[in-house]
Amino acid sequence: MVEDTNRSLLTKEAAALSPATRVKYYDIVIDHGNGATITDADGKTYIDLLASASSTNTGHAHPHIVAAITKQAQKLIQYTPAYFANEPAAKLAPRLAALAPISGPVKLAWGNSGSDANDAIIKFARAYTNRQYVVSFTGAYHGSTYGSLTTSAVSLNMSRKIGPLLPGVVKVPYPDPWQRLANESEDAFVDRLFRAFKQPFETYLPAEEVAVILIEPIQGDGGIVKAPTSYLKKVYDFAHEHGILFAVDEVNQGLGRTGKWWSIENFEGLEPDLMSVGKSLASGLPLSVVMGKAPIMDALGSPAHTFTAAGNPVTTAAALATLDVIENEHLIERSALLGQRAQAFFENEQKQFAFIGDVRMYGLNGGIDIVDPITGLSDATATTKLIYRVFELGAIIISLRGNVLRFQPPLVITEDELTQAFSILHQAFTELAAGTLELPNNASEIGW
């Protein structure tokens, strides 16, 4: 019998899979994973520096989580939480609510993905405020359902040919480093971007008709970019001044990724009214929540946000086990510590290689810009050469915005594995500097 290989499986799949469902990077089929490594159908093992888009913060096939899933599946796989409670979900709800960075009584609603959790923010905010408008930011990735897709602004293929999108959504510029002018101080940058934020409110968007401002405090797919604290404080104060809810998307950056439970905790004194959580909540199984202040979450009745499988016994059992692992293995502290080590590595490489531009690291979670050494502008070609060489050398890393290396390994990565990853990255950087790297044949297909 001929064994399935990467090539044979991808050939079989190609005839049946829509191209809309996958961002192209490497021609591999993941067969299994363990901790911070994954192995493809050809038997090649890679160090995982992506953590399944930050949805496996606890790593692959963690024994405690596998045991919890197995035990629950043997007991009850599914009975719709839309009608009846189940034991794991009933235990998880108050445990999650207690972890929310929100004062006062907190309630939540289940979903299947970060996308529908961000849809829920729109639903609950509109219901509570009796207002229609939603403000989001350029560079955002909130998901692919119609509401979350409308609030996103990271790829034209999220709006091309599928409009009209959700009405009542207004986008403003996110304060990312690519908008910083030469010799512009951070205070001047913040003031300029906040003026741009206010412009819609001063020209065509009545603040008293805005329900919610939705933001990633640290953008994920937008390039791993942290908003300046003073900027976010201005937006936060503006929202409260005008009775607008302040909502944060923690799907990519939550659950220890930034060295804290939630990315908003990197901004002292800012407390969301609503927040979305997904991805690593159940270590990659389909589970999400929207959490918020109780009066807001009481603004809707069923079935305004019910799903057949959302909050089912297996995914919520996995989430309980995930929280156990994060707490018992001190993954938040580990993220902060290993993030410092990663930052030191990339900053040292930055001194050696002129094509390494800005280095942003928040916990074990970084964006590294690859630029043209002469112009300082983004260099997507060099980035594609780099990520493909890293792949050939035995690690998985991808690009964002064409020229940003996305560095998000599982938080359980060992120090030896991290050292190996640094060695691979250094070799790829050295070869790029020497001019020996070539583009792969399918370079035009790679990336967002």
Side-chain angles (χ1 to χ4, degrees):
M1 184 178 70
V2 178
E3 291 187 6
D4 285 326
T5 62
N6 288 332
R7 182 182 295 275
S8 66
L9 287 167
L10 289 170
T11 300
K12 293 174 185 176
E13 181 190 57
L17 186 70
S18 165
T21 65
R22 181 173 298 147
V23 180
K24 181 89 170 165
Y25 281 102
Y26 315 116
D27 290 333
I28 58 173
V29 178
I30 308 302
D31 181 76
H32 62 275
N34 180 44
T37 65
I38 54 175
T39 302
D40 69 13
D42 289 347
K44 182 172 180 178
T45 297
Y46 304 84
I47 298 173
D48 184 7
L49 303 181
L50 178 60
S52 184
S54 195
S55 67
T56 53
N57 288 358
T58 56
H60 304 288
H62 191 289
H64 181 65
I65 297 167
V66 170
I69 292 170
T70 303
K71 181 179 179 180
Q72 183 56 49
Q74 291 170 338
K75 183 179 179 182
L76 178 68
I77 292 176
Q78 162 69 350
Y79 204 98
T80 178
Y83 295 137
F84 306 111
N86 64 75
E87 182 180 354
K91 292 179 177 178
L92 179 61
R95 187 172 175 184
L96 272 177
L99 288 173
I102 302 171
S103 60
V106 173
K107 292 188 176 181
L108 58 79
W110 303 118
N112 296 300
S113 71
S115 298
D116 62 51
N118 284 314
D119 280 2
I121 283 176
I122 299 171
K123 293 179 187 178
F124 283 98
R126 283 178 167 175
Y128 178 74
T129 62
N130 290 310
R131 301 174 177 186
Q132 64 165 312
Y133 289 109
V134 175
V135 173
S136 63
F137 290 79
T138 56
Y141 181 81
H142 295 299
S144 292
T145 51
Y146 257 92
S148 60
L149 180 146
T150 305
T151 55
S152 299
V154 74
S155 169
L156 286 173
N157 281 345
M158 297 184 75
S159 56
R160 179 179 281 126
K161 299 191 288 188
I162 54 177
L165 301 181
L166 189 72
V169 175
V170 175
K171 297 183 179 75
V172 294
Y174 191 88
D176 63 46
W178 298 280
Q179 295 171 327
R180 190 92 165 252
L181 302 176
N183 302 315
E184 185 177 36
S185 69
E186 179 164 305
D187 286 346
F189 172 63
V190 166
D191 288 344
R192 180 167 62 83
L193 267 292
F194 188 61
R195 287 196 300 271
F197 166 83
K198 289 194 298 181
Q199 186 176 27
F201 294 95
E202 295 168 346
T203 54
Y204 66 90
L205 181 63
E208 69 273 13
E209 296 182 24
V210 175
V212 64
I213 296 168
L214 171 61
I215 191 169
E216 296 168 275
I218 301 174
Q219 282 194 340
D221 292 289
I224 317 295
V225 180
K226 180 179 181 288
T229 297
S230 58
Y231 174 87
L232 204 59
K233 180 70 163 59
K234 288 175 182 288
V235 171
Y236 181 83
D237 290 343
F238 180 92
H240 284 189
E241 180 183 349
H242 294 280
I244 301 169
L245 299 183
F246 179 75
V248 297
D249 180 337
E250 293 282 351
V251 175
N252 186 300
Q253 296 287 300
L255 293 156
R257 176 52 64 187
T258 69
K260 298 181 182 293
W261 268 108
W262 312 110
S263 69
I264 191 63
E265 292 177 310
N266 292 278
F267 303 82
E268 187 176 353
L270 304 190
E271 178 181 308
D273 299 301
L274 288 162
M275 60 186 286
S276 54
V277 185
K279 287 190 181 290
S280 278
L281 176 57
S283 289
L285 290 191
L287 179 67
S288 68
V289 296
V290 57
M291 294 196 281
K293 295 179 178 179
I296 301 171
M297 299 302 296
D298 287 340
L300 288 173
S302 66
H305 196 69
T306 59
F307 305 89
T308 300
N312 78 67
V314 173
T315 60
T316 51
L320 286 167
T322 297
L323 297 182
D324 290 344
V325 171
I326 292 173
E327 292 172 348
N328 296 338
E329 298 187 14
H330 308 288
L331 294 190
I332 295 171
E333 296 85 351
R334 183 176 181 78
S335 176
L337 182 64
L338 294 185
Q340 292 173 5
R341 184 177 169 193
Q343 182 165 345
F345 164 76
F346 283 112
E347 288 180 346
N348 185 59
E349 299 294 288
Q350 184 185 45
K351 295 174 184 175
Q352 300 179 57
F353 301 106
F355 55 75
I356 297 180
D358 194 33
V359 172
R360 299 175 298 281
M361 196 69 58
Y362 320 107
L364 200 54
N365 172 56
I368 297 89
D369 294 349
I370 305 301
V371 300
D372 183 307
I374 297 173
T375 66
L377 300 176
S378 63
D379 192 338
T381 298
T383 307
T384 300
K385 289 179 180 179
L386 274 173
I387 64 170
Y388 201 82
R389 184 58 176 149
V390 169
F391 163 68
E392 291 177 327
L393 291 170
I396 297 292
I397 195 167
I398 68 167
S399 58
L400 299 170
R401 295 182 71 143
N403 79 304
V404 180
L405 301 181
R406 178 177 185 166
F407 183 81
Q408 292 183 312
L411 306 184
V412 297
I413 190 169
T414 67
E415 296 205 26
D416 284 346
E417 288 167 337
L418 199 58
T419 298
Q420 292 175 44
F422 292 158
S423 178
I424 288 172
L425 287 162
H426 179 73
Q427 180 175 337
F429 292 153
T430 301
E431 291 175 0
L432 179 65
T436 61
L437 296 188
E438 300 289 338
L439 282 170
N441 292 332
N442 65 337
S444 62
E445 301 175 335
I446 288 178
W448 282 72

